[in-house]
Amino acid sequence: MGISTTTTPFLTRVKESEKDKFMQQAVAKAQDAQWDKREASRKELGHWQDWRKLGEQIRQHVIHYLPDYLEEFADNVEKRGGHVFFAQKDTDAVEYITKLAKEKQVQRVVKSKSMVTTEINLDKELLKIPGMKLMETDLAEFILQSDNWDEPTHIVFPTLHKNRDQIQKVFEKLGYDGDNDPTHMARFAREYLRRYFLQADMGITGCNFAIADSGLINLVTNEGNADLTMAIPKTQVVVMGMERLVPSLKEAEVLDNMLARSAVGQKLTSYCSFSGEQVTGESDGPEDLHVIILDNGRSKALGTPFESILQCIRCGACLNVCPVYRHIGGHGYGSIYPGPLGAVLSPILGGYDQFGDLPFASSLCGACTETCPVRIPLHRLLIKHREVMMDKLKMDKPTTREIMKTVGLGTGTPNLFQMALEFDHMATRMFVSKKPTTVQNLYNHEGHITWAPSIAKGWTDVRDAPRPPKHTENFRRWFQNFEESKEAVRHGK
Amino acid sequence: MKVVVFSTCIVDLFFPNVGAAMVEVLERFGCDTVMPKKQICCGQPTFNSGYVVASQKTMRNEVDSLLSIDCDYIVGPSGSCVNMLHEFRMHLADDPEYSKKAEILANKSYEFTQFLYRVLHIIDAGAELDAKATFHRSCHMTRLLGERTAPFVLLDHVKGLQMMPLPHIENCCGFGGMFSVKEPEISKLMVNEKVDDVVSTGADILIGADQACLMNIGGRFSRRQLPIKIMHVAEVLNSNVDMSRVRYADTPAAV
Amino acid sequence: MASDNREEFLNNIAEKAGRPRHQLAEHPFIPLNDLPETTLADKTPAALFDLAKQNSQSIHVTFQTADTAGLADLLNQDIQEKEAKSLLLPTDDRLAEYGLTNWMAGVTPSPTYWEPTGGREENIQRAQNADVAVGCVDFLCAESGTITVATTPGQGRSFHFLPTHYIALVPKSRIVPRSRQAMDWYDEEIKAGRLHTSNINFITGPSNSGDIEMVLVVGVHGPIDMSYIVITDQ
């Protein structure tokens, strides 16, 4: 799939999302439920703000010394008998894995949910190998795969946009003949996928955290599918973004605790595993382990104001609090990384031409920044992207640029602002609506405005605007009168 | 004590009722208010849109004008704009002269309810308003300025005022400065839910501490032809005041 | 397939970041607070037991206790309740320590074992066929109801995942406050060369998913239910 999920323009996607009432309700319901669970689990832990500082410190330290940690990790994987491949681009990673699959004559691949393998479009490339069968084993990813590779809408809940009836229809194509009860459908998926697990000759996983000082891979799932993927096939491939390291098991333990609370309001994800290549004497687990460490544009964030986005632990909390995500859903973003994290990361990985709309699709409410367990200043990074696009790359329309320059001038030059205060009431006369308003105490100056030209049209497309007061009735004049009367009283005494 | 009024461009341009109410409340509690005439705007419209270069003059003008009168405090009727004054420390950090000024400015600047509660230690401003109301919590005031207590304490003590809890109080109303103009499609979805939530409380009055959010939510109410009265918290605290009701707290709750 | 492009890759990172390589020796990670260690560290063993019970139950685990004398009876009862036709046990000295030697010889159904020399396919198949597995785990974390276990030749990875029902045996003395204390132990054992394992599992209740309309379904890929038996005199 790559980072981009669509070629549809941003505004069209937003309008499509607007029509999808089921999706909006599902997202809102999920956000509200997650809000309570997440906050309760953090409160129970106690000292959450100090935990966040610790989480931030761990991730910042790793990013700061990234080459050193990668080197240490790679050495330790190799010491355990595994292989490490450093992939600069998505195609390098895909090429390595398909070559490996061909060499080993792999015919049955099981995968556990991994954003990064979606990013490099691995599934579809592997399926080009003749005779290859590949199965996504995370329940949600399995549903998406079975529904003709539908797009995920959330990094933690990929099928948020589907209801049980739709899922039942998808499963019926696979031979399911039960009702739409989620437990029944999940049991069907269990049996269906179990057969694949037992025949699989290659397992592919992502990586939550790579442990530098031991060469182990930390994976977390609630379903246990990653563990089966790492236990049964003889060959295991791990694909990881190059930033997903931690110094030792201890820091992985800290972040796993924060991840589970932030992602789903649990104290720990049901299965947290720390694993590597099979050790002599053990019967299962990979006899051959390959770890692919991927850059694919991540290094473009290094040494820039955007470096902190590499701290992200993919918990999805920023999506779960985002009021924009709430309404446009995952598909609206057009990136496999949606929400605030996606709006910051996608332009770095995929460029401004493709994802330049995303940083503007935020009211900068700061809910993402507030909830982020590793303290990424997400909304500030969105402003930073805007600055790069406007001030440095000058990507805006010339007319918008002129207007914004004028706004800058007007808000920075007292005489100009005074002039505006003199004439704004008069100037808006032609726009005053004849229609009465239902709102009290907002339109106190001879009417309100229901249509305005130029960039103000965006405002009146949605809502009415107040009319400015006459210059004799504005706040400056009121204060002047107030001061004079105060002065008079003072002198009167 | 001498208090500089940070009027904010939105109050200067549209809402004299809000500025007047704030000044009257402050004066009632012994503040000698003054207003530097050269102040205009905190710079968020351009800065938050990515026009950081075009914001430089605006931010410096605001620093200079607000510091042009010697005072004890600077008080404004907007959590968002006051937060921006605080953020000048960050945005002007590369300028040795202005970063020093920004520090002085930040240390003196308070949002209106924050000033009443945390500086003057008022919990009951003596107001009375016989109505059912709900409060919209602005994102910047709550999350960036970090003030999530003051307006609630003050409103809870207004005689006759029945405060209804607002569902999804944590969600943005869809204003977001230039966002509301540049992304009307998304903003509309957000403000619609906010309007629905306000309606669901059965409140007659929507109160807020950021007039820009109220202008957005109220504007959508008007467009949807739904009845509501909009009041800035300063107007509420300036209603039917009886000074014998005023109460102070020695120790305000943690932020 | 050696990682021959490693240097180029790492140099590129260092260059983009504008920071030289090989600085870590002088700048090791030193955590800025000790919350992971101190959280719940002041709890008494009795309080930890209560917490462990409460938190295990909240994640849909059947929480049971027995002393070594009563353990066999409890296991028989549990196995009967699950109507198990096949039982999987680990090759693990701890079963004998828990006084189960006689039980192992006489239990119905007659157990199969995960055997150190049993072969990959064979052991996996045994786990796949098992209605019930009784595993020996290393710790129970009170805060989260998490059991932890390192893979050994006698108790493989799939042992804990493929069987339909899973019973974990844990001595009361191995109840720790949080996942941190368990992790500290593994970290130390591995670094001291005392523990040779390719895999550590932290398991918090039976497998589950909320992928269909966010409705919690217990029992997806792993066991569909889980019991912890705390052995009170161990």
Side-chain angles (χ1 to χ4, degrees), chain B residues 92-119:
Chain B
L92 298 170
D94 293 340
D95 181 332
E97 184 194 343
Y98 276 88
S99 64
K100 255 183 242 147
K101 290 183 182 175
E103 191 64 38
I104 297 166
L105 179 67
N107 290 335
K108 283 183 174 183
S109 302
Y110 289 85
E111 180 277 331
F112 167 68
T113 60
Q114 192 177 40
F115 179 74
L116 292 187
Y117 181 60
R118 298 195 184 275
V119 178

Coordinates of all heavy atoms in Angstrom, one line a residue, chain B residues 92-119:
Chain B
L92 N 10.4 34.1 20.7 CA 11.4 35.2 20.6 C 12.7 34.8 21.2 O 13.6 35.7 21.5 CB 10.8 36.5 21.2 CG 9.5 37.0 20.5 CD1 8.9 38.1 21.4 CD2 9.8 37.5 19.1
A93 N 12.9 33.5 21.4 CA 14.1 33.1 22.2 C 15.4 33.5 21.5 O 16.4 33.7 22.2 CB 14.0 31.6 22.4
D94 N 15.4 33.6 20.2 CA 16.6 33.9 19.5 C 17.0 35.3 19.5 O 18.1 35.7 19.0 CB 16.5 33.4 18.0 CG 16.4 31.9 17.9 OD1 16.8 31.2 18.8 OD2 15.9 31.5 16.8
D95 N 16.1 36.2 20.0 CA 16.4 37.6 20.0 C 16.7 38.0 21.5 O 15.8 38.0 22.3 CB 15.1 38.3 19.6 CG 15.3 39.8 19.5 OD1 16.1 40.4 20.3 OD2 14.6 40.5 18.7
P96 N 18.0 38.3 21.8 CA 18.4 38.5 23.2 C 17.6 39.6 23.8 O 17.2 39.5 25.0 CB 19.9 38.9 23.1 CG 20.3 38.5 21.7 CD 19.1 38.5 20.8
E97 N 17.3 40.7 23.1 CA 16.6 41.8 23.7 C 15.1 41.4 24.0 O 14.7 41.6 25.2 CB 16.6 43.0 22.7 CG 16.0 44.3 23.3 CD 15.7 45.3 22.2 OE1 16.2 45.2 21.1 OE2 14.8 46.2 22.5
Y98 N 14.5 40.8 23.0 CA 13.1 40.5 23.2 C 12.8 39.3 24.1 O 11.8 39.2 24.6 CB 12.4 40.5 21.9 CG 12.0 41.9 21.4 CD1 12.8 42.6 20.7 CD2 10.7 42.4 21.8 CE1 12.5 43.9 20.3 CE2 10.4 43.7 21.4 CZ 11.2 44.4 20.7 OH 10.9 45.7 20.3
S99 N 13.8 38.4 24.1 CA 13.6 37.2 25.0 C 13.6 37.7 26.4 O 12.8 37.1 27.2 CB 14.6 36.1 24.7 OG 15.9 36.6 25.0
K100 N 14.4 38.6 26.7 CA 14.3 39.2 28.1 C 13.0 39.8 28.4 O 12.4 39.6 29.4 CB 15.5 40.2 28.3 CG 16.6 39.7 29.1 CD 17.7 40.7 29.3 CE 19.0 40.3 28.7 NZ 19.8 41.4 28.1
K101 N 12.5 40.7 27.5 CA 11.2 41.3 27.6 C 10.1 40.3 27.7 O 9.2 40.5 28.5 CB 11.0 42.3 26.4 CG 11.9 43.5 26.4 CD 11.4 44.4 25.2 CE 12.3 45.6 25.1 NZ 12.0 46.4 23.9
A102 N 10.2 39.3 26.9 CA 9.2 38.2 26.9 C 9.1 37.6 28.2 O 8.0 37.2 28.7 CB 9.5 37.2 25.8
E103 N 10.2 37.4 28.9 CA 10.2 36.8 30.2 C 9.4 37.6 31.2 O 8.6 37.2 32.0 CB 11.7 36.6 30.6 CG 11.9 35.7 31.9 CD 11.4 34.3 31.7 OE1 11.6 33.7 30.6 OE2 10.8 33.7 32.6
I104 N 9.7 38.9 31.2 CA 9.1 39.9 32.1 C 7.6 39.9 31.8 O 6.7 39.8 32.7 CB 9.6 41.3 31.9 CG1 11.1 41.3 32.3 CG2 8.8 42.3 32.7 CD1 11.9 42.6 31.8
L105 N 7.2 39.9 30.5 CA 5.8 39.9 30.1 C 5.1 38.7 30.6 O 4.0 38.8 31.2 CB 5.8 40.0 28.6 CG 4.4 40.0 27.9 CD1 3.6 41.3 28.3 CD2 4.5 39.9 26.4
A106 N 5.7 37.5 30.4 CA 5.1 36.3 30.8 C 4.8 36.2 32.3 O 3.8 35.7 32.7 CB 5.9 35.1 30.3
N107 N 5.8 36.7 33.1 CA 5.6 36.6 34.5 C 4.5 37.5 35.1 O 4.0 37.3 36.2 CB 7.0 37.0 35.2 CG 8.0 35.9 34.9 OD1 7.6 34.7 34.7 ND2 9.3 36.3 35.0
K108 N 4.1 38.5 34.3 CA 3.0 39.4 34.7 C 1.7 39.1 34.2 O 0.7 39.7 34.6 CB 3.4 40.8 34.3 CG 4.5 41.5 35.0 CD 4.6 42.9 34.5 CE 5.5 43.8 35.3 NZ 5.6 45.1 34.8
S109 N 1.6 38.2 33.2 CA 0.4 38.1 32.4 C -0.5 37.0 32.9 O -0.1 35.8 33.1 CB 0.7 37.8 30.9 OG 1.5 38.8 30.4
Y110 N -1.8 37.3 33.1 CA -2.8 36.3 33.5 C -4.0 36.4 32.7 O -4.4 37.5 32.3 CB -3.2 36.6 35.0 CG -2.1 36.3 36.0 CD1 -1.1 37.2 36.2 CD2 -2.0 35.0 36.6 CE1 0.0 36.8 37.1 CE2 -1.0 34.7 37.5 CZ 0.0 35.6 37.7 OH 1.0 35.3 38.6
E111 N -4.7 35.3 32.5 CA -6.0 35.3 32.0 C -6.9 35.8 33.1 O -6.7 35.6 34.3 CB -6.4 33.9 31.5 CG -7.8 33.7 30.9 CD -8.9 33.5 32.0 OE1 -8.6 33.0 33.1 OE2 -10.0 33.9 31.7
F112 N -8.1 36.4 32.7 CA -8.9 37.1 33.6 C -9.4 36.3 34.8 O -9.2 36.7 36.0 CB -10.2 37.7 32.8 CG -11.3 38.1 33.7 CD1 -11.2 39.3 34.4 CD2 -12.5 37.4 33.7 CE1 -12.2 39.7 35.2 CE2 -13.6 37.9 34.4 CZ -13.4 39.0 35.2
T113 N -9.9 35.1 34.6 CA -10.4 34.3 35.8 C -9.3 33.8 36.6 O -9.4 33.7 37.8 CB -11.3 33.1 35.3 OG1 -10.5 32.3 34.5 CG2 -12.5 33.6 34.6
Q114 N -8.2 33.5 35.9 CA -7.0 33.1 36.6 C -6.5 34.1 37.5 O -6.1 33.9 38.7 CB -5.9 32.8 35.5 CG -4.7 32.0 35.9 CD -3.8 31.8 34.7 OE1 -3.6 32.7 33.8 NE2 -3.3 30.6 34.6
F115 N -6.5 35.4 37.1 CA -6.1 36.5 37.9 C -7.0 36.7 39.1 O -6.5 36.8 40.2 CB -6.1 37.8 37.0 CG -5.7 39.0 37.8 CD1 -4.4 39.2 38.1 CD2 -6.6 40.0 38.2 CE1 -4.0 40.4 38.8 CE2 -6.3 41.1 38.9 CZ -4.9 41.3 39.2
L116 N -8.3 36.6 38.9 CA -9.2 36.7 40.0 C -8.9 35.6 41.1 O -8.9 35.9 42.3 CB -10.7 36.6 39.6 CG -11.2 37.8 38.7 CD1 -12.7 37.5 38.5 CD2 -11.0 39.1 39.3
Y117 N -8.8 34.4 40.6 CA -8.7 33.3 41.5 C -7.3 33.1 42.1 O -7.2 32.9 43.3 CB -9.1 32.0 40.7 CG -9.1 30.7 41.5 CD1 -10.0 30.6 42.6 CD2 -8.3 29.7 41.1 CE1 -10.0 29.4 43.3 CE2 -8.4 28.5 41.8 CZ -9.2 28.3 42.9 OH -9.2 27.2 43.6
R118 N -6.3 33.2 41.2 CA -5.0 32.8 41.7 C -4.2 34.0 42.3 O -3.3 33.8 43.1 CB -4.1 32.2 40.6 CG -4.8 30.9 40.2 CD -4.0 30.0 39.3 NE -4.9 28.9 38.9 CZ -5.1 27.8 39.7 NH1 -4.4 27.6 40.8 NH2 -5.9 26.8 39.3
V119 N -4.5 35.2 41.8 CA -3.8 36.4 42.3 C -4.6 37.1 43.4 O -4.1 37.4 44.5 CB -3.4 37.4 41.2 CG1 -2.7 38.6 41.8 CG2 -2.5 36.7 40.2

